[in-house]
Amino acid sequence: MSTHYDDEAQVEDLRRWWKDNWLPLAVGLGLGLAAIFGWEYYRTQKNQTRAEASQLFEELKTAVTAKKYDDAVKMADRLASDFESTPYAAAGAMKLAQAAVDDNKLDDARIRLEWAYAHADDEALKPLIHLRLARVLWQQGKAPDALKLLDAGADSYAVLFDELRGDIKLAEGDRAAALAAYTKAIGGLGGETTGTPNAPIAESLQHKIDDLADVAAVKS
């Protein structure tokens, strides 16, 4: 008989506990479900956004290849405005900058590259943007600004940075500085390059160094 009364007491305790705690439990359950469904919704939306940005970037590349510059501008602008948080926005700006250079629209190229640098999430991409921007500035006759960008340096693109510095110095008539930059660049390739992807770069640099043999002779 005592067991029966114990069971009734436990049931009554459970009822009392539920009466006192049902609301916090319901709220907690609701918040938990909201968090789960909210995260799933966010992930779905994010994947959809990336897919749309990727498709638009592919269309931009097609427009650039077809020499439809005005269409490419509209696509790059949409990537920048609607998909700024995706890597395709900076990539689109870089692609359009390349087309602008080919079309001798150097101001447009500079603006796009500056935007890409400011919005690129991938830190490894920023030196490449600086390299391209330095080339554009040089083509615009802004050699000091170009050299200032190159002075920032970049481990992953050090050879190309040094080569471009040499080109600028040579154009300015500073043949000794050009030779120093080319020599540093070819040294950055790390020895034997025959049969490697670096072979064309090494060959180009060696030709530039050979053309400055008179400077080397004076220095020796």
Side-chain angles (χ1 to χ4, degrees):
M1 186 66 67
S2 59
T3 301
H4 173 70
Y5 287 117
D6 288 343
D7 290 344
E8 286 187 345
Q10 290 176 3
V11 169
E12 185 60 30
D13 288 342
L14 180 60
R15 287 174 178 172
R16 189 179 302 109
W17 181 90
W18 176 252
K19 181 180 179 181
D20 294 338
N21 295 280
W22 73 269
L23 183 57
L25 285 173
V27 171
L29 179 60
L31 290 174
L33 291 174
I36 292 172
F37 288 116
W39 168 250
E40 288 298 325
Y41 176 79
Y42 168 77
R43 188 171 64 175
T44 300
Q45 288 295 106
K46 186 176 181 180
N47 289 340
Q48 182 178 344
T49 297
R50 289 178 66 92
E52 291 177 10
S54 174
Q55 177 62 35
L56 186 57
F57 178 65
E58 291 301 319
E59 292 173 4
L60 186 155
K61 290 197 297 182
T62 300
V64 168
T65 301
K67 306 294 184 183
K68 296 180 179 180
Y69 186 79
D70 291 341
D71 290 343
V73 168
K74 294 176 183 177
M75 294 170 191
D77 286 344
R78 190 182 167 211
L79 280 170
S81 62
D82 296 350
F83 303 99
E84 179 183 340
S85 62
T86 73
Y88 297 103
M94 293 177 68
K95 191 67 178 178
L96 185 61
Q98 179 183 339
V101 169
D102 293 340
D103 209 21
N104 201 34
K105 293 179 170 62
L106 298 181
D107 283 337
D108 291 353
R110 176 181 55 79
I111 291 170
R112 296 292 174 173
L113 288 171
E114 288 174 344
W115 190 95
Y117 186 86
H119 294 81
D121 289 332
D122 187 355
E123 290 297 321
L125 186 62
K126 290 190 173 184
L128 177 60
I129 299 174
H130 259 178
L131 179 65
R132 294 185 180 181
L133 182 55
R135 287 174 177 157
V136 169
L137 290 171
W138 180 35
Q139 288 178 269
Q140 289 184 305
K142 301 175 181 178
D145 293 336
L147 289 170
K148 186 176 180 180
L149 285 182
L150 296 176
D151 287 342
D155 292 340
S156 53
Y157 296 95
V159 171
L160 297 179
F161 269 55
D162 289 328
E163 182 179 19
L164 180 55
R165 183 180 291 105
D167 292 343
I168 295 173
K169 288 296 184 181
L170 184 60
E172 291 180 332
D174 192 343
R175 293 166 62 81
L179 176 61
Y182 293 145
T183 302
K184 183 180 178 183
I186 202 168
L189 293 175
E192 181 59 45
T193 59
T194 303
T196 72
N198 288 331
I201 301 174
E203 184 177 354
S204 174
L205 284 168
Q206 190 59 57
H207 283 316
K208 292 177 180 181
I209 291 171
D210 292 343
D211 289 341
L212 295 169
D214 58 315
V215 179
V218 171
K219 289 179 65 177
S220 62

